[in-house]
Amino acid sequence: VARPPPADAAPRPPIVAVMGHVDHGKTTLLDTLRNTSVAAGEAGGITQAVGAFEVRMPGSAATITFLDTPGHAAFTAMRARGAAGADVAVLVVDARDGVKPQTREAIKHAAAAGAPIVVAITKCDLPDADPARVRGQLLAEGVELEAAGGAVQCVEVSARSGAGLADLEDALLLQAATMNLAASPTAPAAGVVVEARVDRGVGPVATVVVSEGTLAPGAPIVVGCEWGRVRSLTAPGGGGAVSSAGPGTPVEVAGLRGVPSAGDALTVAP
């Protein structure tokens, strides 16, 4: 599908993948930011699917789109696809447990996706927390932290108390500012599939993060090997219908003939 060069690129919200080892506090961190309770509804408190959420940050009122990626080893491939659709990867590491096997996998996935890392050391409010040990382990894994002369920002946070969340917000917005993220809102829409499913009564539904253009109902789309016409757009996580989705916005798309794969590219066709 031929795509004309964008003529009116404008700043867009950053897309951030939250990655790390199982039970290191990724979803709870997001819950605190968006004042919801996703973790409590998951099996064992462990995220079972990649989810996309748009968060208006409490400090700056800037918008950031987060991809919440599973931490369990069984979902390594899903986590890799989550990072592939992101500008920045937040590497969540428990201040007590330190670097674990899936932490190392997350570092590799972010590197393969070309996404810069911002480290969030979680649970720093607990008495046995040891952030200094975690920083030493990350340096040993090749993560070049700012404290050691590198470029990777590292923030100590506590989702339970809210400590450090403002610093994490500043770190993400600073990283995004250095990347000059921009997209044309008027170009033919394009995006990436984060997850897809068959919804009873609706049919195939794909959660898509729009990377360029504005996606609207009625648009003919090609998604990987599937195709169709956008029948409806809804906000992820049980949100209501939306009339359109611009660059950096996550949205659930109905109207495809079949279920695409996570990581598939969405393109509006003539």
Side-chain angles (χ1 to χ4, degrees), residues 110-160:
I117 290 174
V118 172
V119 175
I121 302 179
T122 58
K123 307 183 184 181
C124 287
D125 58 323
L126 299 179
D128 53 347
D130 191 353
R133 181 176 69 91
V134 174
R135 285 192 289 270
Q137 291 176 334
L138 290 169
L139 288 169
E141 295 294 333
V143 179
E144 300 176 351
L145 302 178
E146 279 186 336
V152 177
Q153 300 178 82
C154 182
V155 182
E156 297 179 14
V157 303
S158 167
R160 186 168 61 177

Side-chain angles (χ1 to χ4, degrees), residues 197-205 231-232 234 252-256 259:
R197 68 185 190 278
V198 176
D199 197 328
R200 187 174 181 180
V202 178
V205 176
R231 186 168 68 247
S232 65
T234 55
E252 292 187 349
V253 180
L256 289 167
V259 180

Side-chain angles (χ1 to χ4, degrees), residues 19-100:
M19 310 174 76
H21 192 74
V22 62
D23 199 30
H24 274 203
K26 299 180 297 298
T27 306
T28 304
L29 182 62
L30 280 175
D31 287 346
T32 305
L33 290 171
R34 59 196 178 99
N35 293 319
T36 61
S37 188
V38 171
E42 298 284 0
I46 300 172
T47 304
Q48 303 297 318
V50 178
F53 310 98
E54 192 174 43
V55 176
R56 187 166 294 279
M57 303 301 288
S60 63
T63 298
I64 297 178
T65 295
F66 286 96
L67 303 183
D68 181 17
T69 60
H72 196 277
F75 304 111
T76 297
M78 293 178 66
R79 188 165 58 246
R81 290 192 290 266
D87 304 306
V88 181
V90 172
L91 180 64
V92 174
V93 189
D94 190 317
R96 304 165 304 166
D97 286 352
V99 172
K100 294 292 184 181

